[in-house]
Amino acid sequence: MKAIWNGAIGFGLVNIPVKIYSATETSKLDLDMLDKSDFSNIKFKRVNEKTGKEVKWENIVKAYLMDEKYIVLEDEDYEAASPEKSKILSIDQFVKEAEVDSVYFENPYYLEPQKNGENAYRLLLKALHQTKMVGIGTFVLRDSEAIGMIRPYNDDILVLNRLRFAQEIRDYNDLKIPAKKAPKPAELKMAVSLIEQLSQEFDPAMYKDTYSEALMKIIKQKAKGKNSRAQKSTPAKEGKVIDLMAQLKASLQSPKSKTAS
């Protein structure tokens, strides 16, 4: 793995030198776009919409549309807006992990201790694990300020979760959310029973990207001259008044529910 950030965690007056590595990778297949007629690669060009001519990179500027007028930004404008360059992720506060809603979560990264930082790294790892707390602070990643949440992962390593800023979370008040009407006691009791019946320890290995696997299987079959058959999709049921009690009872009696319990 290649490190994407090299700096230190600021833990009180202690600095822990670390490197950051991306903790995830995509399982999607890397597909090329080709011309159907001769399978030549498709190339994208930057074209002036008025002249139809290609524009060179050095002649391209970025601008913001305000009041039907473009405000062009120069290099010095980006520099003036950029956060102070710092290689320190200073922990500003410690909070309970449950207090950080998953809607704020972005990308996860592995934190690797560097020379002379191993003891402090292990100390922070154990302290967070024992207190069941996580550290929150800001850092600069690729010229952008970011919020980071540091937490233990599998008792062996510290993980940094990049978080979204509060202003990035959309307001949901425009959505048609059901009125705050209490469900019927009998329905609620049966719904709780169904949840309890399906409850088990989370096992991420249960869930796999079957689409990419199936697509690769088809690619290999086509390479051998074999054709594939498309599976029939399950049609969505039309919205209509339903008998919740009947559906809950049927759910509790389903083989899947019995197996989970």
Side-chain angles (χ1 to χ4, degrees), residues 152-215:
Y153 179 63
N154 285 348
D155 300 337
D156 299 319
I157 186 174
L158 287 172
V159 161
L160 170 71
N161 273 99
R162 183 169 178 172
L163 303 180
R164 297 181 175 90
F165 289 96
Q167 62 262 41
E168 294 180 286
I169 308 302
R170 287 180 171 177
D171 192 339
Y172 58 79
N173 288 326
D174 290 337
L175 302 179
K176 296 178 181 178
I177 306 299
K180 294 181 180 180
K181 180 181 178 182
K184 297 177 181 178
E187 292 175 349
L188 179 59
K189 182 179 179 181
M190 197 161 289
V192 171
S193 296
L194 179 59
I195 290 173
E196 292 175 345
Q197 193 165 302
L198 291 171
S199 296
Q200 55 186 289
E201 289 189 7
F202 174 59
D203 180 10
M206 286 178 57
Y207 305 93
K208 294 183 178 180
D209 182 5
T210 56
Y211 175 77
S212 291
E213 289 181 359
L215 194 57

Side-chain angles (χ1 to χ4, degrees), residues 46-53 55 70:
R46 297 167 295 278
V47 177
N48 184 310
E49 67 174 352
K50 293 182 179 178
T51 65
K53 295 182 179 179
V55 182
Y70 279 114

Side-chain angles (χ1 to χ4, degrees), residues 4-259:
I4 63 170
W5 191 87
N6 192 343
I9 298 171
F11 173 40
L13 297 178
V14 178
N15 277 0
I16 309 172
V18 296
K19 286 185 178 181
I20 292 179
Y21 298 84
S22 179
T24 60
E25 59 185 8
T26 182
S27 60
K28 292 182 173 61
L29 299 181
D30 186 14
L31 303 177
D32 292 331
M33 297 181 67
L34 309 176
D35 187 328
K36 185 178 179 180
S37 64
D38 61 0
F39 299 148
S40 296
N41 270 288
I42 301 298
K43 301 295 183 182
F44 292 91
K45 295 182 178 181
R46 297 167 295 278
V47 177
N48 184 310
E49 67 174 352
K50 293 182 179 178
T51 65
K53 295 182 179 179
E54 187 174 0
V55 182
K56 295 181 179 180
W57 265 119
E58 58 265 28
N59 294 329
I60 294 178
V61 297
K62 290 186 178 181
Y64 184 84
L65 183 61
M66 178 181 286
D67 299 329
E68 299 184 359
K69 179 183 178 181
Y70 279 114
I71 309 299
V72 177
L73 294 170
E74 309 292 345
D75 289 341
E76 53 266 29
D77 298 320
Y78 293 109
E79 292 175 6
S82 293
E84 181 182 353
K85 299 292 188 299
S86 173
K87 286 293 184 178
I88 301 292
L89 193 167
S90 182
I91 297 177
D92 301 318
Q93 58 178 325
F94 291 95
V95 302
K96 293 291 184 182
E97 185 174 356
E99 296 177 2
V100 185
D101 195 285
S102 61
V103 73
Y104 290 97
F105 286 11
E106 269 197 18
N107 303 324
Y109 302 93
Y110 292 137
L111 293 175
E112 178 188 64
Q114 299 306 295
K115 187 177 180 180
N116 300 324
E118 296 89 348
N119 291 338
Y121 180 96
R122 178 61 57 178
L123 174 65
L124 179 58
L125 174 65
K126 290 298 182 182
L128 288 176
H129 187 267
Q130 184 172 318
T131 59
K132 294 180 170 51
M133 304 287 276
V134 297
I136 307 291
T138 58
F139 65 111
V140 178
L141 180 64
R142 299 190 181 98
D143 296 326
S144 299
E145 188 172 23
I147 311 174
M149 182 183 82
I150 298 175
R151 63 180 178 85
Y153 179 63
N154 285 348
D155 300 337
D156 299 319
I157 186 174
L158 287 172
V159 161
L160 170 71
N161 273 99
R162 183 169 178 172
L163 303 180
R164 297 181 175 90
F165 289 96
Q167 62 262 41
E168 294 180 286
I169 308 302
R170 287 180 171 177
D171 192 339
Y172 58 79
N173 288 326
D174 290 337
L175 302 179
K176 296 178 181 178
I177 306 299
K180 294 181 180 180
K181 180 181 178 182
K184 297 177 181 178
E187 292 175 349
L188 179 59
K189 182 179 179 181
M190 197 161 289
V192 171
S193 296
L194 179 59
I195 290 173
E196 292 175 345
Q197 193 165 302
L198 291 171
S199 296
Q200 55 186 289
E201 289 189 7
F202 174 59
D203 180 10
M206 286 178 57
Y207 305 93
K208 294 183 178 180
D209 182 5
T210 56
Y211 175 77
S212 291
E213 289 181 359
L215 194 57
M216 178 54 73
K217 185 178 179 180
I218 290 171
I219 290 171
K220 290 180 179 178
Q221 288 177 339
K222 296 194 75 172
K224 296 177 181 178
K226 299 179 181 178
N227 292 324
S228 59
R229 292 183 180 180
Q231 297 182 356
K232 293 183 178 179
S233 59
T234 304
K237 295 182 179 179
E238 295 182 2
K240 59 181 179 180
V241 178
I242 58 175
D243 187 337
L244 276 177
M245 283 297 292
Q247 287 193 343
L248 288 167
K249 287 179 181 178
S251 299
L252 285 166
Q253 295 300 318
S254 71
K256 184 177 180 181
S257 298
K258 292 179 180 178
T259 303

